[in-house]
Amino acid sequence: MAKTPHREWAMIIDLDKCTGCGACVVACHAENNVPIQTEQEIARGRGIHWIHIERYWEGAFPRVKANFLPLLCQQCERAPCEPVCPVYASVRSDRENLNLQVYNRCVGTRYCQNNDPYKVRFFNWFEPVFDEPLNQQLNPDVTVRSAGVMEKCTFCVQRIRRAEERALAENRALRDGEVIPACVQTCPPSALVFGDLADPNSAVAKLAGDRRKFKLLEHLGTEPAIVYLKGGESNVRA
Amino acid sequence: MTRGITRREFIRIGVVGAAAAVLTGCLPPRAWVVLEPYVRPPEEQLAGVATWYASTCRQCPAGCGIVVRIMNGRALKIEGNPEHPLNRGKLCARGQAGVQLLYHPDRLSGPAQQTQRGTRQFKSLSWNDALNLLYSKLQAAGSATAVWGDSTMSGHLADIFARYTKAISAPAPIFFDLYTLFNGYSVLSKTNQQLFGSSALPIYDLAHADVVFSFGADFLSAALSQTRYGVEYGAFRSQPLGKRGFLVQLEPRMTITGAKADRWHAIKPGAEGLIAQAIASIIADQKLGSVERQTRAQTVAARVDVNSVAAASGLSVDDLTNLARIFAAADHPIAIPGAALNGQNNVAQAASAVQALNIIAGNIAQPGGMGMSASAPAGLIKPTPSSFADAQALVEQMRAGRIQALLVHGANPAFDLPDKIGFADAVKNVPFVVSFAPIVDETARYADLILPDRTYLESWGYDVVAPSFGQPIVSGQQPVVTPVFDARATADVMLTVARGIPAAARALPYADEVAFLKETVAALGSGAAGGAGADVLWARFQQHGGWWQSTIPAATPLQSKITAPITVSSTQFQGDEKEYPYFLHLFLSDLLSDGRGAKLPWLQGSPDPMTTIAWQTWVEMHPETAQKLGITSAQVEVGFQRGTLISDVVQVTSPFGAIEAPVYAHPGIRPDTIAIPIGQGHTDDGRYARDRGANALRLVGAQADATGSSLLWAGVRVKIARTGRQISLATFEFTPGVTRGFINAAFPGQ
Amino acid sequence: MSERKTDQAFWRRPAIADETEAHQIEDVRQQHLLLDPRYPLDSDRDVLDPMYRSSKRYWFFFALFAGLVLMMFTTWTVQMWLGLGITGLKRPTMWALYIVNFVYFIGIGHAGTFISAALRVLKVEWRRPISRAAELVTVFGLMTAALFPLIHLGRTWKFYWLIPYPNERQLWPSFHSPLLWDLTAITTYLSCSILFAYISLLPDLAMARDHTSGWRHILYSVLALGWRGTEREWSNHETALNIFSYAIIPVMFSVHTIVSWDFAMAIQPGWHSTIFGPYFVVGALFSGAGAVIIALTIIRKAMRLQYFLRTEHLEGMAKLMLLLSFAWDYFYFNDVLVPWYGQAPVEKSLFALFASGRVAPLFYLMIFANAIVPVTLVFKRVRTSIVGLFIVSLFIQIGMYIERFLIVPVGLGQNEIPFAWGVYVPYLPESLISIGAFGLVIFLFFLISRFFPLIPSWEVYEGQVLQGLRRIGRAILPTRAEPD
């Protein structure tokens, strides 16, 4: 097998463009077999949404502002969730800058979630339920996680693999924009952009230099692979 | 729920997989019954390799193009069709959830006869018996047949219904649902007819606009064309040369569009039209902007007393002047009328006043301005949403016993209409009601016969995109999997029945719907996909997910037909101010839209963007209002077996009815306004929707506005009373953390 | 035991000069067990008798605690069957009552070693009769604590993946994880503690063997490993215990330090603290000492061991507890002061929560129980009152349990992402399992009290042999001989 080049998968989230519409949330549920929790479970704080929109308030009425923050696994270069896992279920792939979660290795210590400053890891408290025939929709590329297992955003690693295999079969390099996670694919205003940061000509590499960039909880030194772009300002004549 | 796959299932899957490939080819639909063993799979069907089929999303009337990922005969994932000129590969949350409609566990398998209405006691029928029953009843009913469709109906079915009713001299079908009512399709058509002589839906070219004034238009949510406006919004924020558009939102309750606005004004409900008029008036009086704009303003704007508008709208005179300056000074300003003004008694004037701002701006049919939706290509039908008056008239006809047979397709009038309209009573006087609902909904409970239609992922059809930006688009719809349940396409049912009714048989001489569709598509001629000949065109239509031209035709210039200045009367509110101290602001839920999404678990269980509540109906009020009323909202409950956020359940009472729902303290709502989302409160419609939340339409009366376009669903006053009950709010956020944890930090760690 | 000349036997009472001296001596004897020797067979009888005779009351409580244990294991089974969802755990309080119990019971497990090993090394004589009970508290506390990580696991049946066992896929556990350090430390500590307790039990097992017949005789014969009481055996025994005592002390300190690292190594605000190591050790000793006092008072009353367990022992423990309370205060103050000075937002919000929020009652109860109630121990009347000591110890248990509760689920409830904060409330399953865990410790005591002597009679004899009363002038003074 040919040697796969080093990659730095990264995502740019332009907060100026994110409308909080929730398309990414549902797309992720569809792509990754993320189970929907019941009303009681959500009320108890057990909702599972690998990507979700956090809405923060700023200011007070009437000058109030709501800020949407799409939050998903930050795929940190120095992920705090990794070293604490005693069984290497949360493990790093340096080759592609991904933070992998090995579901069948997870024993459910839930330490990774405690040590995850972004709180984007979700635990399966019960066996997930997909009423028949809704289970026919389940994506065969993605494991359905059983009870007692931690799960999280994978940057749609199954799509990365499929694209890599296709490129390999066609004996060519992966093109920028060829790998698109479900959330990025669907985002109507294209607030989410995905690509390989190691490729200087990729869309993400260009956007990552934007002056509006920041990383979430940067002071923790986790070095996330997700770069946020702050909301912009318009000049208007009045 | 993972489980082992049995041998029997494996064979079944194999058969389904093979057959799925067959039906998408160019074979006649009779080929569907051919069962292929998996040992000899069709060439495009490889185990473990996905195939994508193009179709059309039917979760709302917008008509976005989709591609569906099929593996082993199962629909796995819907994505936007990247070739489609409307949504350009993007899709909203509701579009993504379409597969759950296909595989909904409560879908009916086979026709069902309800022995007594409302009992849900269904007798299973064979399709032959059911068709015979339908035939005999329709023949007996003759011209006293009515069709109640909805705005998402495929064009070919609407066409068939229209031809059928015309042939038997029955009233034309009506296409009425809550989605189009709330978004004011009928209002906008009528306004455009008056202002520009075109009844098409307006489109707003945000991508090239620099200033957008949204008068309560939540265009990023469940409005006209959510996905396209999302695409437009993205372009609006990142225009060439680092330009970034400026969005002003005027609304009483912060929507997601309001959250994205650069300037958000919490105006009084019902003041949208007045503000638009005041802005026009200020531009005219203070001679703001270019000379052309001043002149146009002087002709279209009736002068108003800015001070009185300021008092009535909750904006200061300075704010109004400032807004007028911004609008007048902008290169490409746009004004968008929102949903709320569609439910006010002055709807026609208010919508005209907002559209008049576009006339003043001189942006009509210009880049970065307002345009008109392209009209449907000849021979193709787009179900035009009926006005509220039409729906009301049909209900009255039913009440009067003049309707012998009612066919309900897609629409759910028993849920979509306020109780006061009395659909439930009126339908009692209709001897025979047929529902084509795949899942038993509220209306199907009143039906005598249910002939489940196929859901859109297993159906043929087309949709003329409206609003369509710049060019006529026909989205093609094809079955992407073999039918999951024993359902039959309504178009085929109608064609079969029509054969027995001589007048209809002459109007509908088609073997089946595919023959009919093929003929329609062939008439379109060659589009961007090219090709010639009926078969090739038909194949390309399916392959690319529709028909459109590769070049965008130049916009037809539009002339303002305004002769007299537009005056906006102030909004009248129903309910005494003393008794009912709060304004009621209803809005379509972002995810559930008008309630159609409520049956899909992905939409039910995903957090609402503004409140993060799932599965529930909530009452939004300002934290101060809640405090004043002594209402607990999203407080931590640490009692036994809890640890959840609890909220007081309040009773919201209007002069027309009352509902109960928990309170969510919303920092972005006026203290004198109460907002409730539409979408929940189903009494049927599958296990995920049933008996969940409350239907806020109960608070609305049956009155139409003067023009009959709309129902007066806004402009209602309510009062609030605590019920003493508390329930756990199903929020995804920890509300006290967000509201009191880190105040005034834009984001954590900032 | 080697033969001694009867006229010099240590249990002989010395001749008394006058009545004053008789009173003096009587007074000293009453106060000090080691100066109040008696005929060894009497002592042996007192130690062994409760093992054979079980009252109805014993069986009642035995059944009660057995029921609690049964309840615990039934609930655990149900939890494994249905999923952890039946508990009150949620995002973000992924660790809650089970981990609180884990830390608490590990903490309890510190007292035993400290008392029997550290005080042994320091030659603190009053520890002699209580060392057995303390060691058993250690062993049972650790055994119960070790259950909790298993109960806590999402997939308990895969727990062995944490163990570095050779397997064909060459999958090893990650030694980066504090949980693995935990596993290593706890298994080491548990095996050391069991061995330590067993070695110190050997002479007593031999004694029991010599006094029993039937199955007990066989059992003790086997367990006593052929102990005959030769000088060589005693000398080896002494050496072994000394080596163990020195070796186990660092293990003890490391164990709770490592437990604290489960928290301190995390970047969770409120956990990420360098002081957690010593702070947790002190807290563990503090609660452990309290637990030993509770165990002693109950054993003393229930098994009529008033001769062995006297006020002096409890008072000694009380003084230790008072000292540890001050140490705890100091560490807690540090743990609060430093983050407070830092004014990091999450920690600030945690302090607000403690001071005036939802958990304020718990917080103040903890301060009251851990810092204020133990101060009463400065009064001799409290130190020497068994009821008083019992109550103080109970308060300390409550206080320390709350302290762990405030650290684990309450601390986790507030993190860097206010959107994902949460409130943890124990649900029925984990409450039942926690109650059952206390039941388990007590049940194990009930069980062991029928099999093994709870008083190390050899240690008492040894003390009594080594100590005596001498008259110097008018004063009667205790003397102590150093063994070779």
Side-chain angles (χ1 to χ4, degrees):
Chain A
M1 197 175 138
K3 197 171 169 288
T4 4
H6 172 79
R7 296 190 197 285
E8 278 181 49
W9 295 117
M11 194 185 284
I12 310 286
I13 301 183
D14 190 342
L15 296 178
D16 198 25
K17 288 187 184 178
C18 171
T19 66
C21 69
C24 50
V25 179
V26 179
C28 179
H29 275 275
E31 174 71 23
N32 291 303
N33 304 337
V34 181
I36 279 288
Q37 303 299 311
T38 61
E39 177 182 346
Q40 289 73 26
E41 287 290 287
I42 290 173
R44 285 175 57 181
R46 303 225 183 117
I48 303 184
H49 308 289
W50 287 6
I51 182 170
H52 55 267
I53 315 285
E54 303 204 335
R55 188 267 304 103
Y56 290 97
W57 296 106
E58 199 182 351
F61 187 85
R63 288 283 161 260
V64 64
K65 178 139 185 52
N67 300 308
F68 294 117
L69 178 77
L71 199 63
L72 63 162
C73 174
Q74 304 284 306
Q75 308 286 351
C76 310
E77 204 169 319
R78 293 157 173 253
C81 57
E82 281 160 3
V84 296
C85 179
V87 292
Y88 287 118
S90 173
V91 68
R92 175 156 189 80
S93 163
D94 277 321
R95 186 176 64 74
E96 45 194 3
N97 199 31
L98 284 181
N99 178 265
L100 309 172
Q101 176 72 12
V102 189
Y103 305 123
N104 53 359
R105 181 70 176 161
C106 176
V107 294
T109 66
R110 309 192 287 291
Y111 201 167
C112 52
Q113 213 279 354
N114 284 349
N115 212 25
D116 161 18
Y118 306 99
K119 302 294 161 194
V120 285
R121 296 178 147 264
F122 299 89
F123 190 70
N124 284 280
W125 301 102
F126 290 111
E127 205 66 30
V129 177
F130 300 94
D131 293 331
E132 299 242 14
L134 279 176
N135 56 350
Q136 294 203 18
Q137 175 276 329
L138 294 175
N139 187 354
D141 294 343
V142 181
T143 318
V144 174
R145 283 74 57 186
S146 67
V149 168
M150 193 66 78
E151 61 182 65
K152 66 158 195 90
C153 162
T154 61
F155 263 179
C156 283
V157 69
Q158 68 279 7
R159 289 181 173 224
I160 297 179
R161 293 283 177 273
R162 284 214 177 240
E164 278 175 345
E165 282 162 17
R166 198 168 47 236
L168 194 70
E170 293 169 15
N171 197 21
R172 60 171 171 84
L174 216 51
R175 285 186 292 265
D176 184 36
E178 197 175 349
V179 183
I180 325 167
C183 53
V184 176
Q185 194 284 325
T186 204
C187 179
S190 303
L192 312 181
V193 183
F194 184 81
D196 183 2
L197 218 49
D199 169 10
N201 297 317
S202 65
V204 282
K206 282 174 190 148
L207 281 168
D210 196 290
R211 62 187 167 82
R212 294 186 286 135
K213 69 162 186 262
F214 75 98
K215 289 187 176 183
L216 203 59
L217 304 181
E218 209 160 0
H219 62 277
L220 296 175
T222 52
E223 297 176 25
I226 292 184
V227 179
Y228 288 91
L229 304 182
K230 266 177 235 184
E233 298 243 325
S234 305
N235 292 318
V236 279
R237 276 170 288 160
Chain B
M1 203 174 355
T2 49
R3 59 194 176 80
I5 210 158
T6 61
R7 207 175 84 88
R8 182 185 295 260
E9 276 170 320
F10 178 75
I11 292 166
R12 198 187 75 204
I13 294 162
V15 167
V16 168
V22 169
L23 66 91
T24 51
C26 304
L27 293 162
R30 285 178 292 283
W32 293 1
V33 294
V34 174
L35 293 182
E36 294 271 352
Y38 214 81
V39 290
R40 195 161 56 81
E43 58 178 325
E44 69 267 42
Q45 194 70 44
L46 276 172
V49 174
T51 34
W52 296 81
Y53 294 105
S55 191
T56 302
C57 179
R58 301 282 59 204
Q59 296 278 64
C60 88
C64 296
I66 55 172
V67 286
V68 188
R69 181 171 187 238
I70 310 291
M71 200 187 265
N72 302 341
R74 291 172 173 186
L76 305 179
K77 175 89 180 15
I78 304 181
E79 289 183 0
N81 180 354
E83 288 186 25
H84 200 280
L86 178 71
N87 55 314
R88 299 173 185 173
K90 303 300 186 179
L91 207 56
C92 71
R94 283 169 292 137
Q96 288 281 352
V99 262
Q100 290 210 316
L101 184 64
L102 174 67
Y103 292 121
H104 196 290
D106 291 328
R107 279 185 59 184
L108 283 169
S109 199
Q113 193 175 15
Q114 192 166 220
T115 40
Q116 203 189 342
R117 285 182 193 177
T119 55
R120 281 185 129 268
Q121 298 297 312
F122 297 114
K123 202 177 82 187
S124 207
L125 285 180
S126 71
W127 274 104
N128 263 348
D129 292 348
L131 288 174
N132 282 329
L133 179 64
L134 177 68
Y135 166 67
S136 62
K137 293 286 183 179
L138 286 185
Q139 199 181 32
S143 62
T145 305
V147 177
W148 192 311
D150 79 327
S151 55
T152 67
M153 189 186 284
S154 162
H156 80 296
L157 182 56
D159 201 351
I160 288 170
F161 273 134
R163 291 193 199 188
Y164 176 81
T165 49
K166 197 176 167 201
I168 60 166
S169 332
I174 70 158
F175 303 101
F176 180 86
D177 55 34
L178 205 51
Y179 190 87
T180 46
L181 175 75
F182 259 68
N183 285 311
Y185 279 57
S186 170
V187 172
L188 292 169
S189 297
K190 276 195 188 161
T191 310
N192 285 352
Q193 181 67 47
Q194 277 176 5
L195 295 181
F196 309 105
S198 157
S199 64
L201 289 171
I203 50 165
Y204 302 94
D205 183 14
L206 303 187
H208 302 103
D210 54 357
V211 167
V212 171
F213 276 36
S214 160
F215 291 82
D218 190 11
F219 54 83
L220 297 176
S221 179
L224 296 153
S225 186
Q226 175 176 6
T227 308
R228 177 54 186 255
Y229 277 115
V231 174
E232 292 278 321
Y233 176 80
F236 171 70
R237 286 306 196 197
S238 59
Q239 296 177 24
L241 303 174
K243 239 177 83 181
R244 177 181 180 275
F246 187 78
L247 174 61
V248 177
Q249 185 83 2
L250 304 152
E251 59 189 2
R253 171 244 174 210
M254 188 182 275
T255 57
I256 63 171
T257 315
K260 297 311 293 177
D262 298 283
R263 190 171 295 185
W264 182 74
H265 286 293
I267 58 163
K268 271 192 188 162
E272 292 89 349
L274 284 176
I275 293 169
Q277 195 189 4
I279 289 172
S281 178
I282 294 169
I283 292 175
D285 286 344
Q286 300 192 6
K287 298 197 167 27
L288 302 173
S290 65
V291 182
E292 291 82 5
R293 281 186 185 161
Q294 292 165 21
T295 339
R296 283 193 291 263
Q298 274 150 7
T299 49
V300 300
R303 300 298 195 279
V304 283
D305 174 20
V306 177
N307 288 309
S308 68
V309 172
S313 66
L315 289 177
S316 68
V317 176
D318 281 352
D319 285 339
L320 284 169
T321 318
N322 192 253
L323 290 177
R325 283 176 187 281
I326 292 172
F327 194 83
D331 291 338
H332 302 288
I334 300 183
I336 309 178
L341 51 80
N342 298 322
Q344 295 159 5
N345 65 320
N346 57 2
V347 40
Q349 300 161 342
S352 301
V354 176
Q355 294 289 55
L357 283 179
N358 289 318
I359 297 176
I360 293 170
N363 67 14
I364 311 296
Q366 301 288 326
M370 192 202 89
M372 286 295 160
S373 192
S375 51
L380 272 75
I381 297 286
K382 169 77 179 178
T384 315
S386 307
S387 67
F388 174 67
D390 293 343
Q392 212 175 14
L394 180 53
V395 173
E396 287 315 314
Q397 293 242 320
M398 286 158 57
R399 199 191 309 280
R402 286 199 285 273
I403 303 294
Q404 295 299 306
L406 175 70
L407 309 180
V408 185
H409 187 281
N412 188 2
F415 177 82
D416 286 356
L417 291 173
D419 291 352
K420 293 281 169 200
I421 290 166
F423 177 84
D425 279 343
V427 83
K428 281 187 187 136
N429 298 335
V430 181
F432 187 63
V433 178
V434 184
S435 168
F436 295 99
I439 297 165
V440 178
D441 59 13
E442 286 82 351
T443 311
R445 286 181 88 143
Y446 295 106
D448 303 294
L449 181 64
I450 306 176
L451 300 170
D453 192 3
R454 290 178 180 151
T455 59
Y456 67 92
L457 292 178
E458 37 187 12
S459 309
W460 296 99
Y462 70 81
D463 184 56
V464 179
V465 173
S468 132
F469 291 67
Q471 73 197 101
I473 305 167
V474 181
S475 296
Q477 190 182 328
Q478 64 172 330
V480 296
V481 287
T482 42
V484 182
F485 291 88
D486 182 18
R488 202 169 274 198
T490 302
D492 276 346
V493 168
M494 288 313 294
L495 288 175
T496 313
V497 169
R499 260 177 238 146
I501 300 168
R506 280 191 296 277
L508 296 165
Y510 301 101
D512 52 32
E513 57 172 344
V514 177
F516 177 65
L517 273 167
K518 247 176 113 170
E519 188 186 295
T520 318
V521 169
L524 278 170
S526 169
D535 281 341
V536 174
L537 286 176
W538 175 233
R540 295 274 159 90
F541 184 77
Q542 291 172 61
Q543 188 189 354
H544 295 274
W547 173 95
W548 49 85
Q549 299 291 359
S550 47
T551 49
I552 298 177
T556 21
L558 285 169
Q559 287 306 317
S560 153
K561 292 195 167 22
I562 298 185
T563 44
I566 296 159
T567 328
V568 182
S569 59
S570 59
T571 307
Q572 300 299 308
F573 286 89
Q574 305 175 64
D576 177 53
E577 193 176 343
K578 287 261 155 36
E579 198 189 345
Y580 301 101
Y582 299 102
F583 297 110
L584 174 69
H585 180 83
L586 299 177
F587 60 97
L588 293 182
S589 156
D590 174 56
L591 293 168
L592 309 182
S593 77
D594 61 348
R596 261 178 265 210
K599 54 180 164 290
L600 309 180
W602 283 341
L603 299 179
Q604 277 279 14
S606 292
D608 170 75
M610 289 308 284
T611 61
T612 76
I613 296 175
W615 295 102
Q616 293 174 339
T617 300
W618 63 94
V619 175
E620 289 177 5
M621 62 174 77
H622 194 270
E624 275 171 25
T625 313
Q627 204 175 18
K628 205 173 76 190
L629 293 167
I631 289 165
T632 303
S633 169
Q635 304 281 317
V636 179
E637 168 66 59
V638 290
F640 187 65
Q641 290 264 322
R642 285 291 187 88
T644 56
L645 296 178
I646 52 140
S647 243
D648 274 336
V649 175
V650 291
Q651 188 179 44
V652 182
T653 314
S654 80
F656 310 106
I659 62 160
E660 288 184 4
V663 169
Y664 180 83
H666 188 299
I669 187 170
R670 287 178 64 86
D672 59 0
T673 305
I674 304 296
I676 309 173
I678 299 284
Q680 298 278 24
H682 282 276
T683 52
D684 223 313
D685 212 9
R687 65 185 73 172
Y688 307 109
R690 188 160 50 228
D691 302 331
R692 194 164 275 299
N695 185 355
L697 277 179
R698 293 245 175 85
L699 301 173
V700 175
Q703 217 186 326
D705 76 314
T707 63
S709 324
S710 195
L711 165 74
L712 297 190
W713 54 265
V716 178
R717 289 182 155 278
V718 289
K719 62 181 175 188
I720 304 285
R722 281 160 58 190
T723 59
R725 280 192 302 125
Q726 293 188 319
I727 65 165
S728 299
L729 268 190
T731 54
F732 187 63
E733 70 173 356
F734 183 72
T735 315
V738 176
T739 53
R740 291 203 295 278
F742 293 145
I743 303 165
N744 277 339
F747 295 110
Q750 292 248 303
Chain C
M1 248 158 285
S2 54
E3 280 299 308
R4 291 166 194 274
K5 285 181 184 165
T6 43
D7 55 334
Q8 287 169 2
F10 66 90
W11 58 86
R12 296 272 174 199
R13 297 185 174 224
I16 297 162
D18 55 28
E19 203 162 312
T20 329
E21 196 189 278
H23 279 298
Q24 270 183 353
I25 289 176
E26 203 48 41
D27 204 38
V28 172
R29 290 178 72 103
Q30 257 178 26
Q31 279 182 31
H32 301 292
L33 168 68
L34 300 184
L35 301 175
D36 185 23
R38 62 177 182 175
Y39 188 56
L41 279 180
D42 290 346
S43 291
D44 290 352
R45 191 198 57 231
D46 271 8
V47 169
L48 295 176
D49 258 8
M51 286 171 31
Y52 319 135
R53 275 193 276 280
S54 306
S55 62
K56 271 193 184 144
R57 197 197 284 174
Y58 171 85
W59 287 116
F60 170 75
F61 282 108
F62 183 87
L64 177 76
F65 292 113
L68 288 182
V69 174
L70 190 70
M71 176 184 85
M72 173 186 181
F73 283 94
T74 315
T75 317
W76 187 10
T77 313
V78 171
Q79 179 191 293
M80 277 197 270
W81 188 260
L82 295 176
L84 269 171
I86 61 170
T87 65
L89 292 162
K90 55 160 83 165
R91 194 178 75 111
T93 54
M94 290 277 158
W95 288 4
L97 217 53
Y98 293 147
I99 300 298
V100 172
N101 286 326
F102 168 69
V103 180
Y104 172 80
F105 283 110
I106 293 260
I108 295 285
H110 276 57
T113 323
F114 190 74
I115 288 158
S116 57
L119 297 189
R120 182 188 171 82
V121 167
L122 297 172
K123 299 199 169 68
V124 178
E125 289 297 320
W126 55 259
R127 58 136 174 120
R128 286 180 181 273
I130 65 177
S131 58
R132 176 72 36 78
E135 281 156 17
L136 290 179
V137 169
T138 296
V139 173
F140 298 155
L142 280 178
M143 284 161 83
T144 311
L147 274 182
F148 276 99
L150 302 185
I151 298 175
H152 159 92
L153 279 190
R155 301 203 289 171
T156 306
W157 48 96
K158 302 284 189 204
F159 80 95
Y160 63 92
W161 287 354
L162 271 76
I163 301 166
Y165 68 98
N167 60 81
E168 76 281 12
R169 293 207 286 171
Q170 305 199 331
L171 281 168
W172 275 64
S174 161
F175 285 93
H176 297 287
S177 173
L179 291 184
L180 213 72
W181 312 343
D182 243 10
L183 185 93
T184 319
I186 290 165
T187 43
T188 311
Y189 189 42
L190 183 61
S191 40
C192 284
S193 298
I194 290 173
L195 274 178
F196 186 61
Y198 180 59
I199 292 172
S200 91
L201 194 62
L202 272 178
D204 283 339
L205 287 171
M207 179 269 285
R209 175 197 62 200
D210 297 345
H211 287 76
T212 49
S213 58
W215 63 269
R216 279 183 189 271
H217 181 74
I218 299 166
L219 175 74
Y220 298 133
S221 307
V222 172
L223 290 177
L225 303 177
W227 179 275
R228 299 254 65 93
T230 60
E231 283 295 343
R232 187 183 160 77
E233 275 173 2
W234 277 111
S235 155
N236 285 348
H237 187 243
E238 178 82 16
T239 316
L241 278 182
N242 279 342
I243 292 172
F244 252 104
S245 297
Y246 280 106
I248 207 168
I249 291 168
V251 175
M252 172 197 85
F253 278 101
S254 77
V255 167
H256 224 66
T257 308
I258 287 172
V259 167
S260 83
W261 286 346
D262 283 352
F263 307 102
M265 293 294 171
I267 56 172
Q268 166 71 28
W271 283 14
H272 191 64
S273 160
T274 47
I275 206 169
F276 261 34
Y279 168 42
F280 266 52
V281 171
V282 163
L285 293 175
F286 186 36
S287 64
V292 169
I293 289 184
I294 291 174
L296 287 177
T297 45
I298 293 171
I299 289 167
R300 176 178 185 271
K301 185 94 171 56
M303 297 174 73
R304 299 198 185 79
L305 297 172
Q306 284 88 346
Y307 168 74
F308 293 103
L309 303 172
R310 302 184 180 206
T311 323
E312 59 159 333
H313 305 115
L314 297 172
E315 200 189 343
M317 288 298 294
K319 285 177 183 160
L320 182 67
M321 217 155 66
L322 180 63
L323 182 74
L324 289 167
S325 167
F326 289 145
W328 183 87
D329 295 349
Y330 167 74
F331 279 110
Y332 197 81
F333 176 69
N334 264 279
D335 189 43
V336 170
L337 181 75
V338 175
W340 178 78
Y341 194 82
Q343 290 280 305
V346 183
E347 276 155 353
K348 232 164 83 179
S349 77
L350 266 174
F351 292 142
L353 184 71
F354 288 166
S356 58
R358 203 177 59 243
V359 298
L362 283 180
F363 174 74
Y364 291 114
L365 178 58
M366 174 193 76
I367 296 291
F368 177 71
N370 284 354
I372 295 171
V373 172
V375 174
T376 55
L377 295 175
V378 299
F379 301 110
K380 195 174 173 77
R381 282 198 41 194
V382 181
R383 287 204 304 272
T384 52
S385 148
I386 290 180
V387 178
L389 266 178
F390 187 80
I391 291 169
V392 171
S393 306
L394 216 53
F395 263 107
I396 290 168
Q397 301 313 301
I398 295 167
M400 288 308 294
Y401 198 85
I402 294 173
E403 187 224 29
R404 275 75 181 248
F405 188 83
L406 291 181
I407 290 173
V408 183
V410 175
L412 277 178
Q414 312 218 352
N415 47 57
E416 304 267 9
I417 302 285
F419 205 86
W421 287 6
V423 177
Y424 168 78
V425 173
Y427 274 43
L428 194 60
E430 66 257 51
S431 309
L432 291 181
I433 287 180
S434 303
I435 294 166
F438 285 93
L440 179 63
V441 174
I442 302 171
F443 174 75
L444 288 172
F445 256 103
F446 265 76
L447 207 60
I448 203 111
S449 71
R450 301 303 108 166
F451 293 101
F452 300 116
L454 289 187
I455 301 293
S457 42
W458 70 267
E459 269 206 84
V460 175
Y461 301 153
E462 190 185 57
Q464 286 176 346
V465 169
L466 295 178
Q467 302 215 11
L469 284 175
R470 286 278 153 75
R471 182 183 342 177
I472 298 170
R474 300 285 305 160
I476 307 278
L477 292 174
T479 57
R480 191 176 186 284
E482 280 290 326
D484 311 321

